[in-house]
Amino acid sequence: MNNIISVSYYTFLEMVRNKVLYVLLFFALFIFVLGIAITQMTIGDNLDIISDIGLGTIEIFSTVLAIFLGINLVQKELTLKTLYPLLSKPLSRTEYVLGKFFGMIFLIVVEIIVMSLIFLVLLHVYGGPERLIAYLPAIYTIFLQTATIISVAVLCSTLTEPTVGGILTISFYLIGATSYNLVYAITHRTSENVAKVINTLRYILPDFSHFNIKDNLVYGRGLEGLHIGFASFYALFIVLIVLSLSVIFFNTKEIN
Amino acid sequence: MVKPIEFKNVSKTFRHPMKVWDRIEAVKDLSFSMENGEIAGFVGHNGAGKTTAIKMMMGFIWPTAGEIQVNGKDPGDPDVKKSIGFLPERPYFYSQLSGMELLSYFGKLTGIKGTVLRDRSEKLLRRVGLFDDRNRKLSGYSKGMLQRIGLAQALINDPQLVIMDEPMSGLDPIGRREVKEIIRSLKREGKSVVFSSHILADIENLSDRVLIIEKGLMKHFGTVPEIVPPDRIRYKIEFNAPDEMKDAAFSLFKGIRVVSNRFVIDCEDLDDFNVKLTSIVQKGYTVHDAGGVYPSLEEIVFSQSGEVAS
């Protein structure tokens, strides 16, 4: 356990010093400028628009960070050969993979907290800082969704080079983000048998609709009590499966 | 007594990077074992199989055939790593960490904590000459400095066995001398050391035993005198004679020469050496030096491969 904590901490430290903060700074400017510009141009409740943009931006930036840092997590160490001295210590490969994953999770948590604080400032400017409390479940499910993406990025990083890993992880995200609507649209426009097959796919393909509660919260449609619990279970399920695969693959990989 | 490293008929093949069905035999039927407290030097050309052998003893890759034991256990066992230090070839570390942070990180992984870790880190940083740069990010370290911090991290757990792949690579002459001194001091502390190098003089100066590997095959493993083919040993006798006998001494053998006021005679082989030495002693001359002159390791490798090792 101590080894996992050490790998996580130094993975976080290495990444947080590696220009990630510039991305956050860019986000801060982006969200402020965009929010102010849009509220000037549109008719409607400014707070709703700002909320929509704020939560959407937190999701996009978390996803981008998860993919582009995650796919390099192990591969970069293989390419630069930083892995050799690390694995020459009494550290199992399982501890290494888990440490890398939790280091990345740690980074995303900090990133989401920083972006939420920027979001809070924006809400305050538009007179609704108390809304952030109501949005916490949405921020939590964004974190859950990002955690699944990180686990897939780690898996790809143990298997293949960053370019291929990036394509696979982005595909996972796109499938997860669109599978619910795609399946819904296809099953309503096809024969009953095909619809059954397509419906079965819903249980295999990742479905991020379980994590999407932003609209419900921003536009006051309410939230079922079980939703957060199910989303947590669903994310945990994906992460456990994917991380187990990563550990199995990495334990059988020759570090050449 | 458990041996630090033992290879038993170890082979390793890789898939050819370009031709899917082809295999490359990196190491072929390699067998050797090290004794505790000795320095073993691996020597061979690029692609000879040195690094592959080292990667197998570290458990990074696995042999296709044969068995490897490090301190009596499988090299992949994390417990084995508690008593091992490893310096990879051309080491590269986390660029955003400082030298001190890197040692803290690796020290924690070996189970060292608190003031013990800090004291040991500082001691090692002084030993490798990086104490003043301990808080600088590694991205600002030169190649030689990375080699030194690599050496420091390899010693952070006070290992009994130190494995180094090209430890002198990238170092200036002073740095090379310092690393050599560290290797010697490790031996004085009773530790076992394995290192590979292209620089034959370094291998010859430091190693108790030398493993010559060529195209994956072990050519020799032993001390330099042990691995010299008998016909490559030259025998020489240095002697002196009283002034009144100098003329007689000079005409004693064909090919005799005078070096630094002494008579020197080269012998064709051991028999010739014995005959000439007996004759010199019988005539009452003073023998200053007599024995075999071994070729350097470079000469041995040169003669076997037909080209000079770099």
Side-chain angles (χ1 to χ4, degrees):
Chain A
M1 191 62 188
N2 283 343
N3 279 351
I4 297 174
I5 293 169
S6 290
V7 176
S8 304
Y9 173 68
Y10 286 99
T11 299
F12 169 78
L13 205 59
E14 171 78 1
M15 283 193 295
V16 87
R17 290 176 182 172
N18 207 3
K19 293 175 184 153
V20 175
L21 290 176
Y22 295 111
V23 177
L24 291 177
L25 189 64
F26 174 75
F27 167 77
L29 291 171
F30 175 79
I31 195 169
F32 271 102
V33 173
L34 194 70
I36 293 162
I38 287 178
T39 51
Q40 299 297 318
M41 292 185 293
T42 52
I43 301 165
D45 188 339
N46 285 346
L47 260 177
D48 285 352
I49 297 164
I50 288 291
S51 302
D52 218 1
I53 292 170
L55 290 171
T57 314
I58 290 174
E59 182 184 345
I60 290 166
F61 273 78
S62 302
T63 304
V64 168
L65 273 183
I67 293 172
F68 288 100
L69 291 180
I71 55 167
N72 278 306
L73 217 51
V74 178
Q75 277 301 320
K76 192 178 164 191
E77 295 225 39
L78 282 167
T79 311
L80 296 177
K81 300 190 191 306
T82 49
L83 201 53
Y84 290 134
L86 201 58
L87 291 183
S88 71
K89 304 292 179 256
L91 170 77
S92 73
R93 293 186 181 200
T94 303
E95 288 171 327
Y96 170 77
V97 171
L98 295 180
K100 284 279 155 188
F101 171 75
F102 286 114
M104 187 73 205
I105 289 285
F106 190 19
L107 181 85
I108 287 294
V109 167
V110 170
E111 179 252 359
I112 287 178
I113 289 171
V114 171
M115 288 200 286
S116 298
L117 291 175
I118 296 166
F119 183 38
L120 178 66
V121 171
L122 202 62
L123 287 173
H124 183 74
V125 170
Y126 282 84
E130 68 286 350
R131 280 205 183 193
L132 190 72
I133 303 294
Y135 294 155
L136 285 180
I139 294 171
Y140 172 64
T141 54
I142 289 171
F143 163 72
L144 292 177
Q145 179 180 302
T146 312
T148 67
I149 296 168
I150 292 170
S151 67
V152 172
V154 169
L155 172 66
C156 293
S157 188
T158 58
L159 285 175
T160 184
E161 58 179 271
T163 314
V164 180
I167 292 169
L168 292 173
T169 312
I170 290 169
S171 304
F172 171 79
Y173 170 70
L174 291 176
I175 292 168
T178 57
S179 64
Y180 179 82
N181 288 333
L182 270 179
V183 168
Y184 183 84
I186 293 169
T187 49
H188 282 73
R189 287 176 173 77
T190 188
S191 68
E192 201 174 313
N193 286 337
V194 176
K196 273 183 187 171
V197 175
I198 300 287
N199 256 322
T200 313
L201 279 178
R202 284 181 64 177
Y203 298 102
I204 299 166
L205 297 174
D207 182 0
F208 289 171
S209 68
H210 299 305
F211 305 124
N212 188 5
I213 57 172
K214 291 192 300 287
D215 294 348
N216 292 38
L217 293 175
V218 171
Y219 299 106
R221 290 177 204 147
L223 194 63
E224 288 176 28
L226 281 175
H227 201 112
I228 298 291
F230 180 77
S232 303
F233 173 77
Y234 185 61
L236 189 65
F237 176 74
I238 293 177
V239 167
L240 281 178
I241 297 279
V242 177
L243 273 189
S244 302
L245 289 174
S246 305
V247 166
I248 290 167
F249 286 131
F250 197 62
N251 271 303
T252 53
K253 188 183 184 77
E254 290 201 307
I255 313 297
N256 201 10
Chain B
M1 187 92 177
V2 174
K3 293 186 184 299
I5 293 174
E6 195 163 15
F7 273 52
K8 291 179 189 164
N9 307 106
V10 173
S11 296
K12 178 66 187 175
T13 55
F14 291 107
R15 191 177 291 167
H16 196 288
M18 307 303 284
K19 301 168 189 169
V20 179
W21 303 111
D22 283 5
R23 293 281 186 274
I24 299 165
E25 277 193 286
V27 169
K28 300 169 199 169
D29 201 28
L30 182 60
S31 295
F32 74 94
S33 64
M34 268 184 77
E35 299 301 326
N36 282 294
E38 82 170 338
I39 301 177
F42 278 27
V43 64
H45 295 278
N46 286 331
K50 305 186 297 288
T51 298
T52 300
I54 286 176
K55 282 179 183 171
M56 284 194 284
M57 65 179 81
M58 290 307 303
F60 299 149
I61 57 175
W62 302 287
T64 316
E67 188 192 354
I68 301 171
Q69 290 210 320
V70 177
N71 288 332
K73 291 181 180 171
D74 185 276
D77 185 344
D79 264 0
V80 170
K81 310 274 174 74
K82 284 180 183 165
S83 54
I84 294 182
F86 175 61
L87 171 67
E89 186 181 5
R90 289 190 294 273
Y92 188 85
F93 300 101
Y94 304 98
S95 57
Q96 299 302 316
L97 300 185
S98 68
M100 191 70 184
E101 283 171 338
L102 184 85
L103 294 190
S104 294
Y105 181 14
F106 286 176
K108 281 175 191 165
L109 292 178
T110 59
I112 315 164
K113 289 175 192 166
T115 49
V116 175
L117 176 57
R118 202 189 59 224
D119 291 349
R120 194 174 291 175
S121 300
E122 288 180 357
K123 194 176 157 192
L124 280 169
L125 285 163
R126 282 198 178 90
R127 193 173 179 182
V128 297
L130 287 175
F131 187 74
D132 292 340
D133 298 293
R134 66 192 182 283
N135 294 322
R136 255 173 82 183
K137 277 187 183 177
L138 297 176
S139 56
Y141 276 28
S142 68
K143 199 177 167 189
M145 290 166 88
L146 285 173
Q147 194 80 8
R148 287 156 185 260
I149 196 74
L151 199 54
Q153 66 78 30
L155 303 177
I156 190 72
N157 53 334
D158 193 22
Q160 271 307 303
L161 169 64
V162 185
I163 300 169
M164 297 186 256
D165 198 359
E166 301 282 353
M168 263 78 83
S169 151
L171 294 177
D172 56 29
I174 295 167
R176 283 157 48 84
R177 197 180 62 194
E178 285 169 358
V179 170
K180 280 193 252 182
E181 189 42 46
I182 288 172
I183 293 174
R184 285 194 190 101
S185 69
L186 290 170
K187 181 180 166 61
R188 284 198 294 273
E189 290 164 22
K191 301 178 192 308
S192 314
V193 180
V194 179
F195 78 104
S196 69
S197 180
H198 287 98
I199 303 155
L200 297 167
D202 290 343
I203 294 267
E204 193 171 2
N205 289 340
L206 292 167
S207 309
D208 295 312
R209 286 198 285 173
V210 178
L211 190 148
I212 301 178
I213 190 165
E214 196 179 303
K215 293 177 182 169
L217 278 169
M218 186 176 82
K219 289 289 180 189
H220 295 286
F221 183 51
T223 60
V224 172
E226 278 171 3
I227 62 178
V228 178
D231 61 337
R232 297 293 310 279
I233 303 170
R234 287 172 286 132
Y235 295 90
K236 192 174 76 172
I237 305 167
E238 279 184 35
F239 66 99
N240 217 336
D243 287 344
E244 66 277 13
M245 296 168 76
K246 278 196 189 308
D247 287 342
F250 195 72
S251 57
L252 189 61
F253 305 113
K254 199 178 168 186
I256 204 161
R257 63 188 192 278
V258 178
V259 178
S260 303
N261 224 15
R262 283 181 186 173
F263 295 103
V264 178
I265 181 73
D266 295 317
C267 309
E268 285 174 18
D269 52 30
L270 188 58
D271 291 339
D272 186 35
F273 170 79
N274 286 331
V275 168
K276 284 176 175 163
L277 186 62
T278 308
S279 172
I280 289 166
V281 172
Q282 280 173 351
K283 290 190 187 303
Y285 300 142
T286 310
V287 177
H288 288 285
D289 193 12
V293 179
Y294 295 91
S296 68
L297 188 59
E298 185 160 341
E299 287 173 298
I300 298 166
V301 174
F302 172 82
S303 68
Q304 284 173 353
S305 63
E307 53 184 309
V308 180
S310 57

